[in-house]
């Protein structure tokens, strides 16, 4: 089967009205909404590196979209569309059917459309998705505006996916295979959060990117980490390792003033958020437990380890 036959069979659905030209031409055409900026990001998933080799095709399709929508959400933006670059070792129609269904299931849930991309042959399965979104001009939430005394908040629970990766078959594998991008929460935080990032490489490492960009520090209360009850039988050190250095959570970590956090709660977000610490003047991350300083050595996900 030729490349264009694969695209036509599995990756060409009728576009929504705000896509001027989608799948089937050299490039897609979009008309930006008035007074908006384009938000764009890309992520590559490699078989055996970013997901276990026996992961279902449907889950791979879902996750390849979800991890990109999470980046869009972390800017406070509304996701709009995606591009897909797919490298396949061979043509497997059952796999392609399930993969494309997983991709479209995630797109449909978050109001996103596939508008173009590329397919090619490669010795290793590789999926690259580029996501596009819109945000009102000047309203994007970046990593660089955290303020001393802001609260540090995280959505959902953290450490689930990292635990599941080490315990395949556990019910928490659903969190590893089917992450939920916090698009609604991200949009709510526009104009409220001072900085934001999605948690992909471990909470401590990703929070560190905010601190570096904002030139501030943080104190994290280990007692306040939102750890899933399924991990509570582990030692505290194991819990903290999964939660702070595990990665693949795709939750949102953000800094926000107490006044604006109260405003967020009044909006009743559809996901629980937890205050885990405060922004400080001293650079780096300090930890405390039971009101006392606590030393931890952590390393998040390394892309070239």
């Amino acid at each position: 089967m030729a490349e264009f036959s694969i695209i036509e069979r599995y990756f060409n659905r009728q576009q929504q009205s705000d896509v001027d030209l989608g799948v089937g031409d050299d490039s897609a055409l979009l008309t930006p909404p008035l007074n908006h900026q384009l938000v764009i990001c890309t992520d590559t998933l490699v078989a055996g590196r970013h997901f276990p080799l026996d992961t279902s095709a449907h889950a791979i399709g879902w996750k390849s979209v979800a991890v990109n929508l999470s980046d869009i959400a972390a800017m406070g933006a509304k996701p709009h569309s995606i591009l897909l670059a797919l490298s396949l070792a061979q043509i497997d129609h059952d796999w392609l059917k399930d993969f494309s269904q997983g991709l479209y299931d995630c797109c449909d849930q978050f109001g996103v459309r596939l508008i173009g991309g590329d397919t090619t042959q490669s010795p290793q399965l590789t999926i690259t998705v580029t996501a596009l979104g819109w945000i009102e001009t000047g309203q994007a939430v970046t990593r660089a505006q955290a303020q001393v005394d802001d609260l540090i908040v995280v959505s959902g629970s953290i450490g689930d996916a990292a635990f599941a990766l080490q315990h395949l078959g556990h019910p928490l594998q659903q969190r590893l295979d089917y992450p939920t991008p916090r698009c609604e929460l991200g949009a709510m935080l526009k104009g409220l959060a001072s900085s934001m990032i999605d948690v992909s490489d471990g909470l401590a490492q990703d929070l560190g990117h905010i601190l570096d960009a904002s030139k501030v520090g943080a104190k994290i209360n280990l007692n306040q980490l939102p750890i899933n009850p399924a991990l509570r039988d582990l030692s505290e050190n194991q819990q903290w390792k999964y939660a702070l250095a595990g990665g693949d959570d795709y939750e949102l970590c953000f800094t926000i003033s107490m006044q604006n956090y109260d405003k967020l709660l009044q909006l009743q977000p559809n996901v629980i958020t937890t205050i885990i610490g405060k922004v400080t003047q001293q650079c780096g991350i300090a930890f405390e437990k039971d009101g006392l300083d606590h030393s931890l050595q952590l390393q998040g996900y390394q892309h070239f380890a």
Side-chain angles (χ1 to χ4, degrees):
M1 177 175 275
E3 172 192 0
F4 298 109
S5 298
I6 294 174
I7 294 170
E8 183 63 31
R9 181 169 179 177
Y10 297 107
F11 301 110
N12 191 6
R13 289 188 179 181
Q14 187 172 357
Q15 305 302 320
Q16 76 268 45
S17 59
D18 60 346
V19 174
D20 301 321
L21 182 63
V23 174
D25 217 303
D26 290 320
S27 299
L29 294 175
L30 304 174
T31 300
L34 187 64
N35 298 322
H36 280 66
Q37 290 176 294
L38 172 66
V39 181
I40 185 168
C41 66
T42 192
D43 263 304
T44 296
L45 302 182
V46 179
R49 177 69 175 172
H50 297 100
F51 54 85
L53 294 174
D54 59 354
T55 302
S56 75
H58 187 277
I60 297 169
W62 174 283
K63 189 169 186 175
S64 65
V65 178
V67 300
N68 281 275
L69 300 190
S70 182
D71 281 330
I72 298 290
M75 302 292 288
K78 180 181 180 181
H80 178 270
S81 48
I82 63 165
L83 302 165
L84 168 69
L86 179 63
S87 299
L88 300 166
Q90 60 186 10
I91 297 172
D92 180 331
H93 291 290
D94 289 337
W95 189 93
L96 281 165
K97 180 181 177 182
D98 290 345
F99 171 82
S100 61
Q101 188 61 57
L103 179 144
Y104 279 120
D105 283 347
C106 190
C107 285
D108 290 346
Q109 181 162 327
F110 295 97
V112 170
R113 293 294 181 269
L114 175 65
I115 61 171
D118 187 34
T119 60
T120 189
Q121 187 172 30
S122 170
Q124 189 168 23
L125 171 63
T126 305
I127 306 109
T128 298
V129 168
T130 299
L132 300 90
W134 306 116
I135 193 163
E136 295 87 344
T137 300
Q139 291 297 303
V141 185
T142 70
R143 303 175 181 181
Q145 298 299 321
Q147 304 295 312
V148 173
D149 292 330
D150 276 352
L151 305 176
I152 300 171
V153 184
V154 68
S155 65
S157 56
I158 50 174
D160 300 4
F163 174 84
L165 184 60
Q166 301 299 320
H167 301 83
L168 296 178
H170 190 278
L172 284 181
Q173 187 169 342
Q174 186 77 4
R175 291 271 287 150
L176 173 67
D177 291 346
Y178 292 93
T180 302
R182 303 301 185 184
C183 297
E184 183 179 344
L185 176 62
M188 287 181 178
L189 285 164
K190 178 181 59 181
L192 296 178
S194 55
S195 68
M196 184 155 52
I197 194 170
D198 79 320
V199 181
S200 56
D201 296 334
L203 176 59
Q205 180 166 296
D206 289 324
L207 173 60
H209 297 320
I210 287 179
L211 305 181
D212 289 344
S214 299
K215 297 179 173 54
V216 293
K219 175 160 275 192
I220 301 299
N221 187 337
L222 296 170
N223 300 106
Q224 294 298 115
L225 294 176
I227 296 174
N228 195 298
L231 277 62
R232 292 297 184 184
D233 288 338
L234 303 175
S235 70
E236 286 185 330
N237 282 334
Q238 286 177 305
Q239 292 180 45
W240 297 334
K241 182 179 179 181
Y242 283 127
L244 292 166
D248 247 12
D249 293 302
Y250 298 101
E251 297 291 348
L252 294 179
C253 176
F254 56 95
T255 61
I256 189 169
S257 68
M258 176 63 80
Q259 181 181 13
N260 282 351
Y261 187 59
D262 289 340
K263 291 179 182 179
L264 173 67
L265 296 182
Q266 290 172 15
L267 295 175
Q268 298 182 328
N270 62 358
V271 59
I272 293 173
T273 59
T274 304
I275 299 170
I276 61 169
K278 275 194 172 185
V279 177
T280 64
Q281 194 162 15
Q282 185 174 354
C283 292
I285 302 178
F287 299 96
E288 66 176 8
K289 179 180 180 293
D290 300 326
L292 301 174
D293 290 343
H294 192 92
S295 178
L296 276 182
Q297 297 297 321
L298 300 165
Q299 183 178 41
Y301 179 79
Q302 301 298 309
H303 291 268
F304 289 92

